[in-house]
């Protein structure tokens, strides 16, 4: 090992001397030469400053994995040992990424919590050495600096970050059900104060560079550069390095101090936090909030609070021990496995498995300027797509345009956009009432009212004016795409794109393909969706596709439960305490009672008994009384502008009374109610996979969590079956089947999984 | 072909000796009007175009450019403009009824004199029958005034136009806040005491916060100095290089001033003060002293400082532009032709100050010239870093290929022909007035050193740029 390292450095020395007089840039050689000992980390010396460059091979991002850590330790030891080096700069060679975090596969490979604890302790030790380094170390951050990357950066003596939108700092561990395990829980509170540290670690939010500077998370900012004698991104990194080197020199010469002037508010906060009583109040308050928001379903946030508290109250030694132990425990939880599964699924659903389309979509048209249409237009224009928004009436169009403008303007208020950028983005939108300019469109997405004959009319009108290559996409939540395509002259160009409301907030896009949809159409639709920033699942056509189809049987059960006399508030609290973000009754109100009725009727006709349970009569009566949900101001609840606590709609009592069914006591416990809802959902999801509507369980999980709010802590219906046990699910289904009937009959796939020991995820 | 030839001959001023030479030359060449100068060795081809009037600069003047806050500080912009206009009148003795039109450029507008051209002309002794308008195009406002004049004359609408520019940075309009303005306007409309009182009750102390004129680009919210610093960094221009270039500018300006080469200056008797006769921003210093300054924009590690940037300046300039035949008929001996010009624009964020790089090759191409044909370069020096970044860009094949759609680099202007009499860094830069100074310096340098072509180029806020070819008038 030692020998090979020596050879490696000799080679580098020779090579660099031949090409560069001062020989500090090895970047050119690391990629090409497999003989080099180090593949992730290289370093060179500028004057008396060591520049350590991180560049994991064959990857867009740097992740802290075993090899990188080993090489890093090796390099740092050399630097510490060298007499000619007085300071160091850490920088990534990849534009857009400093270090994106620890390698989560490294954790997945661990079998026990002890192993994970050990991983954490190794990290802690490495970063402690950095923190105590006798030679100042400057972290030069450009691009994402997350998780382990942030922990590395805050262990350094000084941080300089590029002030661009790609440069974000954050501790997103909590989103994976774990905690910052390499000293982050101990260093962050000292650096930015306890409240800010809690906020970062408990929300996992990304912090932009300029905000980080204000918080004291970074010490200097470097503005991104424009074109010069090299591509801007490349030169910006070089510039960042140059600036970081001057600061490293300054620190080594003691010309620059690492101390930072705190603002008045910061001083006050840190003073307040030095009073034990205040600290106790803060812990209590934070814990209360967390409990309220997570309903106790997520263990990680509570552990984070505990670990931070230990570090502050009992000293950092105790803090480090607690951090590594809790890290190990958390990594073994079901919740963490579920959340990591979702992370992997999300990565998968951010790729276009159909390859690059023949023709990139540049001109888009959206038909219908309603809530959905305008939402689709908004997420399109801000990615630079030229978009026509067409509606049938001027007031309708105006409302849609205002929605797009407001969406963008809200970003200006949050300082995510400048007003100039807003104007320039908004200029990508053309609002019109006719089909002018449709001859140039590459894709038309219709978002008109859910009515087959109307969709047919629109399709025919559009096909008369669009060019041959143009794709026709239908945004529908339940109408089968093949029936829409039946009147098309070119069914291979027809596809379904099911967006979720509100489009600018909901990440999911469900793309529906028919037997006749061409592959290029699919890849085009996925490409557009990815451009719009969506997480995409691609499913086969069928009544209700995947998402609506899973939701419908659950909704049928919701009605049944309400008919049994459970009041909507109780039902809501049962569903949210199971992990759904929105209560089941509220969800119906949000979706719209008329829409729910429409879908229930449609799918009920197709699927018959399996979608039975609740009486659709309830929805019909609500519609006839005008209780259409939030949009009408009345549904299960009464909605008033400016009133926070919504009250039950007492006019519903008579409807409930007229449709009341007696509850069955042995299957009506709170837990039963929850499982009746969830098992029907899961059963239908499995049915979709069985029938081939879904291609993979991962897409099923992503669709359920991101589109329908399936509890993320359960990881989606398929992950849930794996973690909870297929046998237990089937047992529950059988029990309810006995009580209620065929709607609970478990599908074959679930039964197979229960009998064998097969899992959806290996 | 013959018809074109005869037409050209007809439009050429018959009294000019040069014209005679030209006609001889063209006749001697069998077919091409713009044939290579086979006969002449001392002078290159001329840029006269068939069917286009020749437009000449008869004379151009400026009042001394002063650091803002000095001798001009109590004046108003139209006072400076008036001084430049009277200086022009005085030097050229132009009968005032001959002037057809007046155009001035300005950037920060004094609200009371938003058409500063008209206010200044009225007070400067021009005829009240001569219309005037004001143009604005950031630092190339005077260039816009001149080219507007060229356009008007070329189109045959006018024969004699005065173009100029003015800027007074000693005083800038500072406004009430929008909320305060709205309240004041509403108060105006309020009819009853009750309405007025209810409006006044909405007053908040923060309404009194004043609104300063923007020093930043509206589109990007970035100040120009900040952008210049980034530009210098993008092209790896060091602090030392910038200081060296600034020092060069000051030294050359000092030399030109001492040798009396800045002949476009007309003295200005400031009311209540002494007569101002020369620019006061020329301060040759040493590199050591310049190195002591802290960065002005990107703190603490930037490279643009007060010493290597142009300073806030008060000043005005004016130029008499005519159709050649008119000038000759009036008995003038013109100083130069104004030839092809271009305006360019690019990304206002990252290429804010690269106008000269884009404009130079375009105007050369348009005129059928190459870099080698140019005898005098006059570039506007907003910042040392900006000039040096433009040099790097012009000298880079990579930049030319990736950002300019050219196969090869533009090429570097030779430094010994570049801003030899100082530039905006040392002489000062009254935004609206600099363009005329550039053209007059180019013309005067050509007259003194005997060259034929001058190239004027400038960058401007908004990511815009300008370049023009100035051709010496044959002696």
């Amino acid at each position: 090992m030692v020998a090979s390292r020596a050879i490696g450095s000799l080679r580098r020395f020779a090579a660099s001397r031949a090409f560069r007089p001062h020989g500090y840039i090895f970047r050119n050689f690391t990629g090409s030469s497999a003989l080099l000992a180090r593949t992730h980390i290289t370093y060179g010396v500028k004057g008396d400053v060591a520049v350590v460059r991180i560049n994991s091979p064959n990857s867009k991002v740097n992740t802290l994995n075993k090899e990188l850590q080993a090489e890093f330790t090796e390099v740092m030891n050399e630097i510490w040992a060298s007499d000619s080096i007085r300071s160091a700069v850490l920088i990534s060679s990849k534009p857009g990424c400093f270090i994106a975090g620890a390698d989560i596969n490294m954790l997945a490979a661990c079998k026990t919590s002890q192993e994970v604890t050990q991983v954490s302790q190794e990290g802690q030790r490495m970063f402690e050495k950095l923190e105590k380094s006798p030679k100042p170390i400057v972290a030069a951050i450009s691009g994402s600096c997350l998780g382990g990357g942030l922990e590395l950066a805050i262990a350094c003596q000084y941080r300089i970050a590029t002030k661009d939108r790609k440069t974000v700092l954050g501790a997103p561990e909590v989103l994976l059900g774990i905690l910052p395990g390499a000293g982050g829980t101990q260093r962050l509170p000292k650096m930015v104060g306890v409240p800010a540290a809690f906020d970062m670690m408990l929300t996992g939010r990304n912090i932009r560079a300029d905000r980080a500077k204000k918080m004291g998370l970074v010490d200097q900012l470097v503005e991104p550069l424009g074109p010069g004698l090299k591509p801007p991104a490349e030169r910006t990194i070089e510039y960042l390095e140059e600036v970081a080197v001057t600061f490293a020199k300054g620190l080594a010469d003691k010309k620059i101090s690492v101390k930072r002037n705190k603002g008045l508010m910061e001083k006050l906060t840190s003073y307040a936090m030095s009073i034990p009583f205040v600290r106790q109040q803060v812990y209590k308050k934070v814990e209360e909030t967390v409990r309220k928001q997570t309903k106790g379903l997520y263990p990680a946030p509570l552990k984070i609070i505990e670990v931070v508290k230990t570090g502050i109250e009992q000293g950092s030694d105790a803090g480090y021990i607690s951090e590594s132990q809790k890290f190990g425990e958390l990594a073994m939880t079901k919740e963490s496995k579920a959340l990591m599964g979702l992370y992997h699924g999300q990565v998968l659903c951010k790729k276009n498995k159909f390859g690059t389309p023949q023709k990139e979509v540049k001109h888009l048209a959206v038909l219908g300027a309603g809530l959905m249409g305008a939402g689709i237009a908004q997420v399109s224009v801000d990615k630079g797509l030229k978009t026509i928004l067409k509606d049938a009436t001027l007031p309708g169009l105006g409302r849609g345009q205002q929605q797009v403008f407001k969406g963008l303007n809200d970003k200006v208020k949050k300082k995510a956009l400048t007003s100039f950028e807003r104007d320039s983005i908004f200029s990508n939108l053309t609002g019109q009432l006719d089909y002018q300019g449709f001859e140039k469109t590459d894709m038309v997405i219709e978002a008109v009212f859910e009515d087959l004959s109307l969709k047919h009319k629109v399709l025919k009108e559009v096909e008369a004016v669009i060019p041959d290559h143009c794709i026709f996409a239908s945004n529908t939540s339940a109408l089968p795409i093949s029936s829409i395509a039946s009147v098309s002259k070119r069914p291979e160009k027809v596809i379904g794109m099911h967006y979720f409301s509100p489009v600018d907030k909901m990440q999911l896009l469900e793309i529906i393909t028919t037997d006749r949809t061409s592959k290029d159409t699919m890849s085009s639709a996925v490409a557009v969706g990815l451009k719009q920033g969506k997480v995409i699942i691609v499913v086969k056509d069928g009544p209700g596709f995947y998402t609506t189809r899973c939701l419908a049987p659950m909704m049928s059960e919701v009605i049944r439960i309400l008919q049994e006399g459970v009041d909507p508030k109780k039902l809501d609290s049962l569903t949210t305490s199971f992990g759904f973000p929105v209560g089941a009754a509220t969800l119906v109100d949000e979706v719209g009672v008329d829409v729910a009725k429409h879908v229930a009727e449609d799918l009920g006709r197709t699927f018959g008994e399996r979608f039975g349970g609740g009486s659709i009569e309830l929805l019909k009566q609500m519609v006839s009384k005008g209780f259409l949900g939030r949009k009408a101001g009345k549904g299960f609840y009464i909605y008033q502008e400016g009133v926070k606590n919504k009250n039950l709609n007492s006019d519903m009592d008579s409807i409930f009374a007229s449709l009341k069914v007696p509850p069955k006591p042995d299957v009506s416990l709170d837990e039963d109610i929850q499982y009746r809802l969830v098992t029907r959902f899961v059963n239908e999801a499995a049915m979709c996979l069985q029938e081939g509507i879904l291609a993979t369980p991962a897409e099923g999980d992503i669709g359920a969590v991101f589109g329908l709010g399936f509890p993320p802590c359960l990881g989606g219906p398929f992950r849930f079956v794996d973690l909870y046990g297929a046998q237990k699910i089937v047992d529950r289904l059988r029990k309810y089947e006995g009580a209620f009937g065929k709607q609970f009959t478990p599908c074959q796939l679930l039964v197979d999984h229960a009998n064998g020991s097969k899992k959806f995820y290996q | 072909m013959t018809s074109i030839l005869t037409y050209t001959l007809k439009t050429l001023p018959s009294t000019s000796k040069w014209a005679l030479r030209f006609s001889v030359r063209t006749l001697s060449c069998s077919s091409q009007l713009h044939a290579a100068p086979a006969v002449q060795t001392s002078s290159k081809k001329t840029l006269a175009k068939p069917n286009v009037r020749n437009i000449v600069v008869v004379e151009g003047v400026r009042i001394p450019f002063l650091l803002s806050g000095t001798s001009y500080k109590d004046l108003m912009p139209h006072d400076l403009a008036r001084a430049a206009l009277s200086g022009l009148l005085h030097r050229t003795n132009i009968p005032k009824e001959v002037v057809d039109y007046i155009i001035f450029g300005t950037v920060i507008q004094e609200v009371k004199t938003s058409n500063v051209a008209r206010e200044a002309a009225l007070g400067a002794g021009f005829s009240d029958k001569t219309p005037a308008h004001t143009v604005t195009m950031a630092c190339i406002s005077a260039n816009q005034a001149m080219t507007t004049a060229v356009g008007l004359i070329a189109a045959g609408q006018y024969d004699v136009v005065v173009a100029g520019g003015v800027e007074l940075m000693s005083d800038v309009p500072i406004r009430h806040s929008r909320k305060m303005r709205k309240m004041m306007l509403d108060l105006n409309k309020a009819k009853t005491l009750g309405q007025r009182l209810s409006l006044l009750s909405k007053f908040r102390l923060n309404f009194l916060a004043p609104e300063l004129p923007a020093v930043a680009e509206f589109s990007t919210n970035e100040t120009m100095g900040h952008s210049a610093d980034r530009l210098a960094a993008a092209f790896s221009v060091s602090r030392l290089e910038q200081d060296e270039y600034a020092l060069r500018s000051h030294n050359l300006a000092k030399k030109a001033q001492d040798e009396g080469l800045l002949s476009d200056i007309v003295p200005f008797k400031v009311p209540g003060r002494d007569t101002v006769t020369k620019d006061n921003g020329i301060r040759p210093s040493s590199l050591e002293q310049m190195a002591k300054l802290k960065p002005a924009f990107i703190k603490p590690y930037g490279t643009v400082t007060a010493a290597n940037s142009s300073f806030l300046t008060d000043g005005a300039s004016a130029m008499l532009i005519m159709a050649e035949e008119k000038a000759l008929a009036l008995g003038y001996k013109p100083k130069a032709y104004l030839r092809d010009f271009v305006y360019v624009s690019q990304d206002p964020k990252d290429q804010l100050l690269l106008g000269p790089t884009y404009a130079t090759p375009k105007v050369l191409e348009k005129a059928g010239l190459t870099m080698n044909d140019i005898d005098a370069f006059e570039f506007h020096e907003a910042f040392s870093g900006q000039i040096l970044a433009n040099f790097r860009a012009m000298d880079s094949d990579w930049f030319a290929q990736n950002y300019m759609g050219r196969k090869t680099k533009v090429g570097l202007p030779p430094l010994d022909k570049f801003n030899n009499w100082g530039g905006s860094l040392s002489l000062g830069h009254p935004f609206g007035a600099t363009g005329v100074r550039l053209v007059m310096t180019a013309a005067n340098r050509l007259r003194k050193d005997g060259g034929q072509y001058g190239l004027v180029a400038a960058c401007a806020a908004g990511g815009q740029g300008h370049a023009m070819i100035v051709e010496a008038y044959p002696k």
Side-chain angles (χ1 to χ4, degrees), chain B residues 265-297:
Chain B
I265 294 182
V266 290
F268 178 17
K269 168 70 183 77
V270 181
R273 288 172 191 262
D274 290 342
T275 302
V276 182
T277 57
K278 55 183 188 176
D279 305 325
N280 72 355
I282 307 173
R283 289 162 302 170
S285 154
S286 69
L287 285 176
E288 293 73 44
Q289 269 180 306
M290 291 168 93
K292 282 184 196 153
L293 285 179
K294 288 196 171 145
F297 300 98

Side-chain angles (χ1 to χ4, degrees), chain A residues 547-560:
Chain A
T547 49
T548 310
R549 184 169 155 185
C550 286
L551 196 59
M554 187 171 115
M555 282 301 144
S556 172
E557 200 59 28
V558 165
I559 294 168
R560 166 81 193 200

Side-chain angles (χ1 to χ4, degrees), chain B residues 375-394:
Chain B
D375 304 298
F377 289 90
E378 275 298 323
F379 277 39
H380 162 51
E381 298 167 345
F383 301 88
S384 280
Q386 165 258 336
I387 285 287
L388 296 172
N390 272 287
F391 282 177
R392 298 258 156 102
M394 291 166 98

Side-chain angles (χ1 to χ4, degrees), chain A residues 338-384:
Chain A
L339 291 169
M340 289 197 191
L342 280 176
Y343 171 78
H344 285 302
Q346 214 182 344
V347 170
L348 205 73
C349 293
K350 284 268 184 191
K351 288 183 182 144
N352 192 344
K353 58 180 171 185
F354 303 105
T356 318
Q358 285 165 15
K359 194 172 188 305
E360 192 194 343
V361 172
K362 286 183 177 151
H363 293 264
L364 183 75
V366 180
L367 301 178
L371 217 56
M372 294 304 282
I376 297 167
Q378 188 195 323
V379 297
S380 306
V381 287
D382 72 2
K383 304 299 176 326

